[in-house]
Amino acid sequence: MEWVGVDVYVIHQGVPNVPKESGVFKLEDISNRGAKVSAEAPPAFMLVDWHRCRYLSAKAPSDAELSQLLGELSKTVVWEKVQKLFRQDGEDKFSKAHDS
Amino acid sequence: MSTKVKVGLMRGDGIGPEICDSFVKLVAQLKVPIEWVEVPCGEQTLASENTALPKSSIELVRELGVAIKGPTGTPIGKGHKSANVTLRKALDLYANVRPCYKLAGVDSPFDNVDLIIVRENTEDVYTAIENQVSPDVMQCLKIITRPGCERIVRFAFEMADRLHRRQVTCVHKANIMKMTDGLFLEVFREVAKEFPQIEATDMIVDAVCMNLVRKPEKFDVIVTENLYGDILSDLCAGLIGGLGLAGGANIGTSGVSVFEAVHGTAPDIAGRNLCNPTALILSGIMMLKHLGFFEAAESLSKALDQTYAEGKCLTGDLGGKASCSEFTQAVADKIL
């Protein structure tokens, strides 16, 4: 399996204003309970204090680059969990958030 | 001059357009001041916009506040996301309401089913958090939140109170999932204290399944999480003659509601005027009540009941020979 990104789950009241990119990682989207949300246009629906920040990378990231991303996130939010995202035979092995 | 209420019409796939036509005709017969606004979805937009539910359609439903929806197809195990789930997530339609009662004349092992399932519609394993974590392992996260539990449980009790129901049963599996289902049950017990006039009980989901198929009359209002609700509501539809006879509503926090037929698209009979529009009519009756057209809802409900009680003009799924349009006309003829 090819490592192509990470989901970083963060604890934060309201949509977190997280870095748009860090090293090879680029912010793909933020979701709350499975629906996409945006810090610029907070949704009208119910949010909980647990967000998924999805970062994807155009090339294979390293653990050092992941550590750097987590370090930058730690300046503004509390990260709770990291989930590596994989691709196999050109197919993403992770689900997409719902549009909102 | 009365102002017409604008309502979204999501025709959907397969038999969706036919059952929508049926309901639109009945609304015209009822002379309810509704102006239909077409909301594109399903295969129509999948072909043109590569999504079964474009953002523009979501925004249109949000703007209108009310929509009625035919079924939309969802591929199993691959392909595009369910338009239903996307709609529920995007519009935060957190409460799925599925009344379940037997229409006269329908062949069913039970005569005394009259229950309502209130299903949490936005959490649980439906939050689209699935991953492959190793070559041999997949995972799907089950998300249950305190605010999510509070609003669905409160919705169930308030609805039960409004409809003079005697009992609300919390369905869970907290003996195994002590944290997630444990939270749901904990919140249920907290909220139940605010409604002392209603009996609050709880039961493990597997026991509920057994009891539903033996003594469904023991249940009144059921409130449960998303996955259990998904399964139980279809099980209950089976108790009254099938999904073709089960209406449903999705209620949101910001005043947006979508009423839908809960059955599939039935592609094998699509476009052949063979389908049974009853599920959408029942959903439409719920919608008419939601919009405050109580007399029209009552009139349509009686016309539908009478059509079934007579049993002269039923569709093929119920052993009759009537087409969808003949059945619709039979109901329309009974509207006073």
Side-chain angles (χ1 to χ4, degrees):
Chain A
M1 296 198 297
E2 176 192 2
W3 182 20
V4 295
V6 288
D7 281 340
V8 185
Y9 293 86
V10 306
I11 300 170
H12 194 267
Q13 292 290 346
V15 182
N17 198 356
V18 293
K20 297 284 187 293
E21 59 181 281
S22 169
V24 296
F25 291 109
K26 285 189 168 49
L27 181 66
E28 176 75 7
D29 59 53
I30 303 172
S31 57
N32 191 286
R33 299 187 313 130
K36 288 179 188 173
V37 294
S38 157
E40 288 74 28
F45 57 75
M46 187 188 86
L47 295 180
V48 292
D49 58 357
W50 189 69
H51 296 74
R52 183 178 79 181
C53 303
R54 172 159 292 175
Y55 288 90
L56 297 180
S57 172
K59 61 176 185 177
S62 66
D63 283 348
E65 286 165 322
L66 174 56
S67 296
Q68 181 189 327
L69 170 65
L70 295 177
E72 289 185 31
L73 282 167
S74 297
K75 293 173 187 171
T76 53
V77 294
V78 176
W79 65 268
E80 177 268 332
K81 176 171 41 219
V82 177
Q83 174 70 59
K84 288 187 175 180
L85 304 175
F86 298 104
R87 187 174 292 148
Q88 191 170 35
D89 301 326
E91 184 183 349
D92 291 342
K93 295 298 180 181
F94 47 92
S95 56
K96 291 183 171 63
H98 293 281
D99 286 326
S100 63
Chain B
M1 188 177 74
S2 63
T3 307
K4 285 193 172 183
V5 178
K6 289 187 176 181
V7 174
L9 184 61
M10 309 175 78
R11 294 180 183 273
D13 304 326
I15 60 172
E18 291 163 81
I19 61 175
C20 284
D21 284 346
S22 167
F23 183 62
V24 167
K25 177 174 181 172
L26 292 170
V27 166
Q29 181 75 16
L30 288 160
K31 298 184 170 53
V32 179
I34 285 178
E35 178 183 339
W36 299 106
V37 179
E38 297 283 341
V39 180
C41 66
E43 288 171 3
Q44 176 193 359
T45 58
L46 200 57
S48 60
E49 304 183 46
N50 201 31
T51 170
L53 191 68
K55 279 187 176 180
S56 56
S57 293
I58 294 172
E59 287 312 310
L60 184 53
V61 175
R62 198 194 307 275
E63 185 185 317
L64 293 167
V66 182
I68 191 158
K69 179 181 172 300
T72 44
T74 308
I76 296 172
K78 58 183 180 181
H80 68 272
K81 280 183 181 295
S82 157
N84 286 340
V85 177
T86 300
L87 194 64
R88 292 167 188 172
K89 294 295 293 184
L91 299 174
D92 207 18
L93 304 172
Y94 71 95
N96 181 251
V97 183
R98 293 272 295 268
C100 187
Y101 69 96
K102 185 178 164 299
L103 289 159
V106 174
D107 186 27
S108 154
F110 302 102
D111 285 324
N112 47 2
V113 182
D114 181 15
L115 58 89
I116 303 174
I117 295 184
V118 177
R119 165 189 169 192
E120 203 292 323
N121 225 2
T122 62
E123 299 194 339
D124 200 347
V125 289
Y126 292 69
T127 52
I129 307 181
E130 271 195 295
N131 295 78
Q132 181 164 358
V133 296
S134 83
D136 289 337
V137 179
M138 308 287 179
Q139 72 171 1
C140 175
L141 297 190
K142 170 170 175 151
I143 308 299
I144 301 292
T145 73
R146 180 174 286 279
C149 296
E150 282 177 355
R151 66 179 182 175
I152 193 64
V153 171
R154 181 159 282 108
F155 177 95
F157 273 101
E158 287 176 349
M159 186 201 73
D161 193 35
R162 195 169 58 249
L163 300 178
H164 307 294
R165 293 279 179 158
R166 60 182 165 78
Q167 179 197 67
V168 177
T169 302
C170 172
V171 176
H172 60 87
K173 190 71 179 171
N175 57 330
I176 303 299
M177 283 161 280
K178 299 176 191 295
M179 305 292 285
T180 49
D181 287 24
L183 175 62
F184 194 84
L185 180 57
E186 177 187 317
V187 170
F188 173 81
R189 287 172 173 163
E190 287 171 7
V191 174
K193 290 175 187 168
E194 300 173 26
F195 299 86
Q197 70 279 25
I198 298 171
E199 180 190 359
T201 63
D202 72 270
M203 196 179 288
I204 293 169
V205 64
D206 36 336
V208 169
C209 290
M210 182 192 71
N211 282 292
L212 274 171
V213 298
R214 295 184 72 222
K215 294 182 177 177
E217 72 277 8
K218 297 290 183 190
F219 294 90
D220 194 357
V221 173
I222 286 173
V223 62
T224 190
E225 297 167 14
N226 208 339
L227 180 61
Y228 307 145
D230 193 355
I231 296 165
L232 287 180
S233 50
D234 278 21
L235 185 156
C236 287
L239 299 177
I240 56 159
L243 285 174
L245 305 177
N250 299 286
I251 311 294
T253 42
S254 53
V256 182
S257 302
V258 177
F259 298 80
E260 64 179 345
V262 298
H263 53 69
T265 58
D268 53 327
I269 58 167
R272 298 169 59 193
N273 198 20
L274 295 173
C275 58
N276 182 350
T278 300
L280 196 74
I281 295 172
L282 289 167
S283 309
I285 291 170
M286 296 171 78
M287 187 191 78
L288 292 172
K289 288 178 183 171
H290 176 81
L291 291 170
F293 298 122
F294 296 107
E295 284 184 19
E298 185 65 19
S299 179
L300 180 53
S301 186
K302 281 181 179 172
L304 186 67
D305 285 346
Q306 202 181 333
T307 304
Y308 271 98
E310 286 181 1
K312 294 176 184 170
C313 190
L314 301 180
T315 47
D317 57 317
L318 297 175
K321 292 181 177 174
S323 66
C324 176
S325 52
E326 287 168 341
F327 174 82
T328 304
Q329 188 60 52
V331 176
D333 290 344
K334 292 174 180 60
I335 289 173
L336 299 175

